[in-house]
Amino acid sequence: MSITDTEKDEIEKSSAPLMEHLIELRRRLIWSIGGFFAAFLVCFFFAKKLFNLLVIPFKWATQWAGLDPHKVELIYTAPQEFFFTQVKLAMFGGMVIAFPLIATQIYKFIAPGLYKNERNAFLPFLIASPILFLMGASLVYFFFTPMVMWFFLAMQQAGTDDQVQISLLPKVSEYLSLIMTLIFSFGLVFQLPVVTSLMTRVGMLSSKALAEKRKWAIVIAFVVAAVLTPPDPMSQIGLAIPTILLYEVSIWAARLIERDQVKQKLAREKQEAAEAVAEKAAKASSTQAPS
């Protein structure tokens, strides 16, 4: 495949000595680490309020179970447990808040080495990725966490003469781990259209191949759901079904990308043919001109 003069100019502009690349990498790392540290401090300062915000789905679950949401109780069994829970929450919140900055720094570092059309193709996915992650996190917060907690609350046992009372008293660290695992799992799965679209754009995947592997994708979706989520059927099925739906969205997105690529190819061929005709006409007119 021949390289045009414009692409050669872009390659020359993108070439830089190793030391300049290292300096640029250090600057991007400083911005990324600094942004994460600042977000971490803010989240740690509001850690208790953030944790109370994450407990709201638990309160919804108690309402669904017919219990008093004002009597929701969580415990910690080690003196340092709640402190480290707040640190973990601050790290998780700091990473979520700083992710747009980190992704932007990564893009700015690799963008000079890309062609203009590759930069234009990569930028929409950079914007779509955090949006899809937030969609997955919202689904967890407003629906699946209350469903999972309602499932666990339904296992409680009232004390009678024949049976002992069994009540759910989750630890703060375990509850945070549960909701963080669900948010991470759903956020990761919601990146499926982004990943498959990028692979389709660079020619590593096709809509036909995705459609042919649909049966395998369904099996893999349930396997991944069993690995990423807690060992309960509610969360596993709840993750597997959106994964399958997102796979269908990926097939549709791949077809749109392929149509766009065909249109661009036809337009490019038409332009090249017109330029070739114009060049032949110019040569013919120059040879027929009187000396």
Side-chain angles (χ1 to χ4, degrees):
M1 183 175 63
S2 61
I3 300 177
T4 63
D5 294 336
T6 304
E7 291 175 340
K8 289 180 180 178
D9 292 338
E10 291 185 5
I11 293 174
E12 291 177 0
K13 290 179 181 178
S14 64
S15 62
L18 177 61
M19 188 56 65
E20 291 185 14
H21 283 300
L22 292 176
I23 293 172
E24 180 71 11
L25 177 61
R26 184 185 66 176
R27 185 172 64 172
R28 300 304 174 192
L29 284 174
I30 290 173
W31 273 101
S32 300
I33 295 173
F36 167 74
F37 186 68
F40 168 80
L41 291 178
V42 172
C43 290
F44 185 75
F45 183 78
F46 295 102
K48 288 186 178 180
K49 292 184 178 180
L50 291 173
F51 192 85
N52 289 327
L53 189 65
L54 292 177
V55 174
I56 292 177
F58 189 12
K59 293 182 178 180
W60 293 339
T62 58
Q63 288 181 322
W64 295 355
L67 303 174
D68 186 2
H70 299 290
K71 293 184 179 179
V72 170
E73 183 180 359
L74 287 85
I75 63 172
Y76 60 97
T77 57
Q80 73 279 8
E81 181 180 346
F82 190 43
F83 171 76
F84 285 113
T85 299
Q86 293 180 70
V87 172
K88 187 187 296 186
L89 176 59
M91 291 180 65
F92 183 75
M95 182 58 68
V96 172
I97 294 174
F99 176 78
L101 174 64
I102 296 172
T104 302
Q105 296 303 314
I106 295 173
Y107 173 75
K108 287 184 177 180
F109 179 72
I110 66 175
L114 302 175
Y115 295 134
K116 185 177 180 181
N117 61 335
E118 291 175 337
R119 291 195 295 268
N120 294 335
F122 188 77
L123 190 59
F125 297 107
L126 186 65
I127 298 172
S129 182
I131 293 175
L132 288 172
F133 184 88
L134 289 176
M135 289 175 61
S138 300
L139 193 62
V140 169
Y141 185 86
F142 291 104
F143 183 70
F144 282 104
T145 299
M147 286 290 295
V148 170
M149 295 308 299
W150 171 80
F151 176 79
F152 292 145
L153 284 168
M155 296 181 178
Q156 293 185 121
Q157 180 175 283
T160 61
D161 295 335
D162 299 329
Q163 58 187 19
V164 298
Q165 181 174 345
I166 302 176
S167 302
L168 175 63
L169 290 175
K171 296 169 61 177
V172 290
S173 58
E174 293 176 350
Y175 178 78
L176 181 64
S177 296
L178 172 65
I179 196 167
M180 282 175 53
T181 301
L182 289 173
I183 289 175
F184 176 77
S185 302
F186 277 77
L188 189 65
V189 165
F190 269 65
Q191 303 303 310
L192 183 62
V194 174
V195 175
T196 54
S197 297
L198 280 172
M199 295 178 71
T200 302
R201 191 171 288 276
V202 299
M204 296 177 64
L205 275 179
S206 65
S207 60
K208 183 179 179 182
L210 290 171
E212 290 175 350
K213 300 296 188 297
R214 183 182 280 110
K215 293 181 180 179
W216 286 102
I218 295 173
V219 175
I220 293 173
F222 280 95
V223 172
V224 171
V227 172
L228 293 179
T229 60
D232 67 276
M234 297 292 294
S235 56
Q236 291 175 4
I237 295 173
L239 180 59
I241 292 176
T243 303
I244 296 170
L245 295 177
L246 287 168
Y247 189 83
E248 296 297 328
V249 173
S250 301
I251 296 174
W252 174 75
R255 287 172 180 165
L256 291 180
I257 291 172
E258 288 172 348
R259 287 181 200 168
D260 185 60
Q261 288 177 338
V262 170
K263 290 180 181 178
Q264 291 180 359
K265 183 180 179 181
L266 292 175
R268 198 163 48 243
E269 291 176 351
K270 186 177 180 180
Q271 183 179 1
E272 290 175 356
E275 291 176 354
V277 170
E279 185 178 353
K280 287 181 181 180
K283 287 183 180 179
S285 61
S286 61
T287 55
Q288 293 177 1
S291 57

